Amino acid sequence: MALRSLNLPGVGTKYEFETEKGDTVAIFFTKTGTIQMYTLQKGCHTPSAAEMTPVEARRLGNILTGAIIEADQESVEIAFSALADLRVTIHSYIIPRAIAGKTIEDLRIRAKTGTTVIAVSRNERNIINPPPSFVFETGDAVLVIGESDQLRLFEREIMVD
C-alpha cells in the first residue's frame, strides 16, 4: 500500500496507491485548483469505485484534508483514536518582519503558548526540528504543532505584526 506521487508538468500532482485487493486509487491536485479522484478495480480497464479498508480510507482522507501541506498558512488536524482521542493540529505560518531576527528561544514559544516549531522552510531548504538558537527571517515558512487553543495563543502572542 505504498503511496506514490508524481509531479505532472502543466497539470499538477498525482498521488496514487493500491489497495490490498489490487484496486488503484489516484488523486490529482491540478494547477487549476480542482481535485480529481479516479479508481480502477483490479483487472478492469474502465475507472470505477474501490472498496477500502479503514487504513486505506484514512490514507485517502489525509490526502483530501491537506495532510500533505504545500500552500502557505494551511492547517491539518490529526486525531489519534488509540491515544484517548488525542487531537493535534499542525499549522503553517509565514514569519512577519516583526519577529525576524529573533530566535525560537528569544520568543519563548513553547513557554508562552505550549506549541512547538517542528520545521522551517527557507529558500527551498527545509530545517526539521530547528534548535532553540534558530534565527527566524522574514518570509520563513514554519510548521507549528499543538492543540487548537495553543495555536490560537501562538497567533496572538508570537505572530504579531
Side-chain angles (χ1 to χ4, degrees):
M1 191 172 72
L3 177 68
R4 296 175 296 278
S5 67
L6 179 63
N7 185 22
L8 303 169
V11 176
T13 305
K14 173 185 174 184
Y15 296 94
E16 181 179 272
F17 70 94
E18 191 171 295
T19 68
E20 289 177 6
K21 292 173 74 175
D23 298 336
T24 300
V25 178
I27 307 293
F28 290 83
F29 288 84
T30 68
K31 297 276 186 191
T32 62
T34 61
I35 301 166
Q36 300 173 354
M37 183 175 109
Y38 296 89
T39 60
L40 185 64
Q41 287 184 328
K42 182 179 179 180
C44 291
H45 300 289
T46 305
S48 62
E51 184 178 323
M52 293 180 273
T53 67
V55 170
E56 292 159 349
R58 277 194 299 276
R59 181 174 295 251
L60 176 59
N62 285 339
I63 295 168
L64 293 174
T65 60
I68 297 169
I69 298 176
E70 294 179 353
D72 297 339
Q73 301 191 20
E74 285 190 305
S75 184
V76 176
E77 184 174 78
I78 304 167
F80 297 92
S81 58
L83 298 172
D85 293 322
L86 171 67
R87 297 180 89 75
V88 295
T89 302
I90 301 172
H91 192 88
S92 64
Y93 299 93
I94 303 299
I95 296 297
R97 185 175 297 138
I99 63 175
K102 296 180 181 173
T103 67
I104 293 171
E105 186 174 34
D106 293 340
L107 294 168
R108 299 182 52 236
I109 292 172
R110 182 176 255 173
K112 285 183 177 180
T113 69
T115 62
T116 301
V117 175
I118 59 172
V120 178
S121 181
R122 177 185 295 160
N123 300 324
E124 298 189 26
R125 183 174 161 251
N126 297 319
I127 300 101
I128 306 300
N129 240 355
S133 60
F134 182 84
V135 179
F136 290 117
E137 292 181 5
T138 303
D140 284 349
V142 298
L143 280 181
V144 180
I145 190 169
E147 295 176 335
S148 294
D149 291 344
Q150 293 172 322
L151 287 167
R152 281 191 287 279
L153 190 57
F154 175 85
E155 290 168 9
R156 282 196 315 267
E157 298 288 322
I158 306 299
M159 294 299 292
V160 291
D161 279 325

